[in-house]
mmCIF file of all heavy atoms in Angstrom:
data_model
loop_
_atom_site.group_PDB
_atom_site.id
_atom_site.type_symbol
_atom_site.label_atom_id
_atom_site.label_comp_id
_atom_site.label_asym_id
_atom_site.label_seq_id
_atom_site.Cartn_x
_atom_site.Cartn_y
_atom_site.Cartn_z
ATOM 1 N N LYS A 731 30.463 -4.418 26.568
ATOM 2 C CA LYS A 731 30.262 -5.707 25.972
ATOM 3 C C LYS A 731 29.962 -6.717 27.071
ATOM 4 O O LYS A 731 29.293 -7.779 26.792
ATOM 5 C CB LYS A 731 31.574 -6.202 25.281
ATOM 6 C CG LYS A 731 31.878 -5.417 23.994
ATOM 7 C CD LYS A 731 33.051 -5.921 23.302
ATOM 8 C CE LYS A 731 33.260 -5.103 22.005
ATOM 9 N NZ LYS A 731 34.441 -5.513 21.222
ATOM 10 N N GLU A 732 30.294 -6.437 28.306
ATOM 11 C CA GLU A 732 29.988 -7.395 29.434
ATOM 12 C C GLU A 732 28.563 -7.030 30.057
ATOM 13 O O GLU A 732 27.992 -7.878 30.720
ATOM 14 C CB GLU A 732 31.045 -7.220 30.500
ATOM 15 C CG GLU A 732 32.406 -7.694 30.061
ATOM 16 C CD GLU A 732 33.540 -7.419 31.053
ATOM 17 O OE1 GLU A 732 33.244 -6.639 32.007
ATOM 18 O OE2 GLU A 732 34.607 -7.902 30.893
ATOM 19 N N ARG A 733 28.032 -5.836 29.779
ATOM 20 C CA ARG A 733 26.771 -5.482 30.356
ATOM 21 C C ARG A 733 25.624 -6.396 29.986
ATOM 22 O O ARG A 733 24.835 -6.763 30.803
ATOM 23 C CB ARG A 733 26.330 -4.056 29.902
ATOM 24 C CG ARG A 733 27.094 -2.969 30.502
ATOM 25 C CD ARG A 733 26.571 -1.603 29.937
ATOM 26 N NE ARG A 733 27.485 -0.605 30.318
ATOM 27 C CZ ARG A 733 27.711 0.532 29.628
ATOM 28 N NH1 ARG A 733 27.080 0.758 28.494
ATOM 29 N NH2 ARG A 733 28.541 1.415 30.065
ATOM 30 N N ILE A 734 25.646 -6.887 28.729
ATOM 31 C CA ILE A 734 24.517 -7.677 28.244
ATOM 32 C C ILE A 734 24.483 -9.076 28.910
ATOM 33 O O ILE A 734 23.488 -9.737 28.956
ATOM 34 C CB ILE A 734 24.613 -7.820 26.727
ATOM 35 C CG1 ILE A 734 23.314 -8.273 26.155
ATOM 36 C CG2 ILE A 734 25.740 -8.783 26.286
ATOM 37 C CD1 ILE A 734 22.182 -7.267 26.363
ATOM 38 N N GLN A 735 25.631 -9.452 29.536
ATOM 39 C CA GLN A 735 25.646 -10.769 30.277
ATOM 40 C C GLN A 735 24.977 -10.673 31.647
ATOM 41 O O GLN A 735 24.717 -11.766 32.209
ATOM 42 C CB GLN A 735 27.085 -11.239 30.327
ATOM 43 C CG GLN A 735 27.724 -11.485 28.996
ATOM 44 C CD GLN A 735 29.200 -11.845 29.161
ATOM 45 O OE1 GLN A 735 29.727 -11.988 30.212
ATOM 46 N NE2 GLN A 735 29.936 -11.854 28.009
ATOM 47 N N LEU A 736 24.818 -9.530 32.122
ATOM 48 C CA LEU A 736 24.190 -9.356 33.474
ATOM 49 C C LEU A 736 22.668 -9.396 33.418
ATOM 50 O O LEU A 736 22.070 -8.792 32.543
ATOM 51 C CB LEU A 736 24.668 -8.059 34.085
ATOM 52 C CG LEU A 736 26.184 -7.854 34.257
ATOM 53 C CD1 LEU A 736 26.436 -6.408 34.732
ATOM 54 C CD2 LEU A 736 26.714 -8.873 35.194
ATOM 55 N N VAL A 737 22.145 -10.159 34.271
ATOM 56 C CA VAL A 737 20.649 -10.243 34.374
ATOM 57 C C VAL A 737 20.246 -9.686 35.727
ATOM 58 O O VAL A 737 20.726 -10.136 36.807
ATOM 59 C CB VAL A 737 20.163 -11.724 34.270
ATOM 60 C CG1 VAL A 737 18.627 -11.771 34.393
ATOM 61 C CG2 VAL A 737 20.548 -12.270 32.828
ATOM 62 N N PRO A 738 19.376 -8.668 35.696
ATOM 63 C CA PRO A 738 19.025 -7.979 36.985
ATOM 64 C C PRO A 738 18.034 -8.860 37.847
ATOM 65 O O PRO A 738 17.351 -9.718 37.222
ATOM 66 C CB PRO A 738 18.407 -6.691 36.607
ATOM 67 C CG PRO A 738 17.841 -7.002 35.219
ATOM 68 C CD PRO A 738 18.816 -8.017 34.589
ATOM 69 N N PRO A 739 18.031 -8.734 39.118
ATOM 70 C CA PRO A 739 16.901 -9.345 39.906
ATOM 71 C C PRO A 739 15.549 -8.882 39.358
ATOM 72 O O PRO A 739 15.400 -7.808 38.773
ATOM 73 C CB PRO A 739 17.143 -8.848 41.340
ATOM 74 C CG PRO A 739 18.438 -8.108 41.292
ATOM 75 C CD PRO A 739 18.794 -7.805 39.935
ATOM 76 N N LEU A 740 14.558 -9.698 39.611
ATOM 77 C CA LEU A 740 13.268 -9.484 39.029
ATOM 78 C C LEU A 740 12.663 -8.115 39.423
ATOM 79 O O LEU A 740 12.156 -7.404 38.445
ATOM 80 C CB LEU A 740 12.238 -10.568 39.437
ATOM 81 C CG LEU A 740 10.891 -10.501 38.854
ATOM 82 C CD1 LEU A 740 10.930 -10.554 37.322
ATOM 83 C CD2 LEU A 740 9.986 -11.601 39.426
ATOM 84 N N ASP A 741 12.804 -7.670 40.634
ATOM 85 C CA ASP A 741 12.215 -6.356 40.981
ATOM 86 C C ASP A 741 12.937 -5.226 40.195
ATOM 87 O O ASP A 741 12.245 -4.280 39.743
ATOM 88 C CB ASP A 741 12.236 -6.130 42.541
ATOM 89 C CG ASP A 741 13.709 -6.077 43.045
ATOM 90 O OD1 ASP A 741 14.597 -6.757 42.508
ATOM 91 O OD2 ASP A 741 13.883 -5.308 44.018
ATOM 92 N N VAL A 742 14.181 -5.369 40.122
ATOM 93 C CA VAL A 742 14.969 -4.329 39.367
ATOM 94 C C VAL A 742 14.685 -4.358 37.884
ATOM 95 O O VAL A 742 14.446 -3.343 37.213
ATOM 96 C CB VAL A 742 16.526 -4.507 39.627
ATOM 97 C CG1 VAL A 742 17.342 -3.644 38.715
ATOM 98 C CG2 VAL A 742 16.830 -4.298 41.066
ATOM 99 N N GLU A 743 14.501 -5.589 37.317
ATOM 100 C CA GLU A 743 14.206 -5.614 35.932
ATOM 101 C C GLU A 743 12.783 -5.101 35.655
ATOM 102 O O GLU A 743 12.510 -4.433 34.631
ATOM 103 C CB GLU A 743 14.238 -7.051 35.432
ATOM 104 C CG GLU A 743 14.073 -7.218 33.910
ATOM 105 C CD GLU A 743 14.493 -8.547 33.418
ATOM 106 O OE1 GLU A 743 14.536 -9.562 34.169
ATOM 107 O OE2 GLU A 743 14.644 -8.660 32.116
#
Side-chain angles (χ1 to χ4, degrees):
K731 291 182 180 182
E732 295 171 350
R733 285 181 192 152
I734 200 65
Q735 297 173 9
L736 301 175
V737 177
L740 184 60
D741 64 327
V742 170
E743 187 168 15

